[in-house]
Amino acid sequence: MTATTTAPAAPTPAAPAGGLRQSVRDSLTVAKRNLIRMLRIPEVVVFGLFQPIMFVVLFSYVFGGSINLPGAGLDPGLYREFLMAGIFAQTVTFATAGAGAGIAEDMHKGLIDRFRSLPMARGAVLTGRTLADLVQTGLTLIVLGLVALLVGWRTHENGLKVLAGFGLLLLLGYAFTWIGALIGLTVRTPEAATSGGLIWLFPLTFISNAFVPSQNMPTVLRHFAEWNPFSATVQACRELFGNLPPNYPVPDAWPMQHPAWASLIWSIVIIAFFRTLAVRKYKSATA
């Protein structure tokens, strides 16, 4: 009589959990994991503050007296108030590079593959990562706002409008982290993700109304700047903060005439488009 043995069946990965509640819970779990990681490496947050602070100092005290604002002339004090919305917006969009590098590092270490083998809601890993980056961006804005107050920046509208301005900034930053997520899933190293996350941001932020008025640009660049989603948020924040010079001529382009709506629409479109692409890439990506 011969005994027969049956090899144990290979375990099959559990199906991804579904439902809004499960998705929210999984996303918050991943966000908590990334926030704890940030707390253990505080130098990442500290070094991330250096660049915007340097921009504030350089543009306020080195270039501020040389930039002619329509309706304000060469007044350095008015230029500092004009400048700060651009610095805030640049800071939140530069979080793109950090988001991309973090996801690329997780890919490189095989962590993404381990997450994909778990019964987690689709997109929870990426949503959790972007939410953690949003928290870091918010903390950076608080510190940068304090530095801005020290160099003479002031708001001239009520508190609700000021909070609405910062809300638009955070929404724009969150939208751009989804671009970073897609870049991080596409490249193979954190270094490539950092470079890929920054190289296109410089023309986007400098061909805008962030640092100089768009009215003085050549025609093609002026139209690009006026329809730039970055410019819409900057213009909206200047209006909500009360930081436009008294006689500043607002361009006729629709995003400049209705900047808060334009900023909101641009951010929602960017989130919807790049989140869809990033989640699709996440499901098929390999380390």
Side-chain angles (χ1 to χ4, degrees):
M1 181 177 180
T2 31
T4 59
T5 58
T6 305
T12 57
L20 179 60
R21 182 179 298 178
Q22 180 71 31
S23 179
V24 171
R25 186 172 62 185
D26 290 344
S27 298
L28 292 178
T29 299
V30 176
K32 180 180 178 181
R33 173 251 176 193
N34 282 284
L35 288 173
I36 292 173
R37 183 184 180 188
M38 289 177 187
L39 290 175
R40 291 175 177 172
I41 316 175
E43 56 268 26
V44 174
V45 180
V46 173
F47 290 154
L49 290 170
F50 286 166
Q51 178 175 306
I53 290 174
M54 285 191 296
F55 269 99
V56 171
V57 174
L58 286 173
F59 277 89
S60 296
Y61 296 107
V62 178
F63 305 122
S66 304
I67 296 178
N68 187 7
L69 288 179
L74 298 175
D75 187 331
L78 287 177
Y79 178 71
R80 276 195 291 272
E81 293 194 348
F82 177 87
L83 167 72
M84 283 314 305
I87 296 292
F88 288 146
Q90 184 191 54
T91 300
V92 300
T93 54
F94 272 38
T96 303
I103 291 175
E105 183 179 7
D106 288 344
M107 285 280 295
H108 186 68
K109 292 179 177 179
L111 185 61
I112 294 295
D113 281 342
R114 291 196 288 273
F115 276 136
R116 285 167 53 191
S117 68
L118 298 174
M120 299 177 64
R122 294 178 179 179
V125 173
L126 300 181
T127 301
R129 173 75 206 198
T130 56
L131 287 175
D133 289 328
L134 180 64
V135 172
Q136 182 179 350
T137 300
L139 294 175
T140 303
L141 275 181
I142 292 173
V143 175
L144 189 58
L146 295 175
V147 173
L149 291 173
L150 291 176
V151 300
W153 173 68
R154 297 293 184 271
T155 60
H156 306 286
E157 294 289 351
N158 62 63
L160 288 178
K161 287 189 175 182
V162 173
L163 289 176
F166 280 108
L168 288 176
L169 287 168
L170 289 174
L171 184 62
L172 180 72
Y174 184 67
F176 273 59
T177 56
W178 279 107
I179 302 177
L182 180 61
I183 293 172
L185 290 168
T186 304
V187 301
R188 300 191 63 84
T189 64
E191 294 79 11
T194 301
S195 300
L198 289 176
I199 192 169
W200 59 275
L201 277 175
F202 280 102
L204 185 76
T205 54
F206 280 95
I207 307 176
S208 71
N209 61 357
F211 306 107
V212 295
S214 60
Q215 295 92 320
N216 299 332
M217 296 180 182
T219 304
V220 174
L221 295 183
R222 186 178 73 249
H223 288 313
F224 178 86
E226 290 171 353
W227 286 87
N228 184 343
F230 182 83
S231 294
T233 302
V234 172
Q235 186 75 5
C237 289
R238 284 180 181 143
E239 291 187 0
L240 292 168
F241 295 158
N243 287 159
L244 283 175
N247 300 314
Y248 186 81
V250 178
D252 293 331
W254 186 86
M256 297 296 99
Q257 292 290 327
H258 308 88
W261 281 109
S263 173
L264 190 63
I265 292 169
W266 270 118
S267 295
I268 292 173
V269 169
I270 291 171
I271 291 171
F273 182 75
F274 283 96
R275 187 184 188 281
T276 301
L277 293 181
V279 172
R280 186 178 301 171
K281 183 70 176 177
Y282 167 79
K283 289 189 290 184
S284 61
T286 57

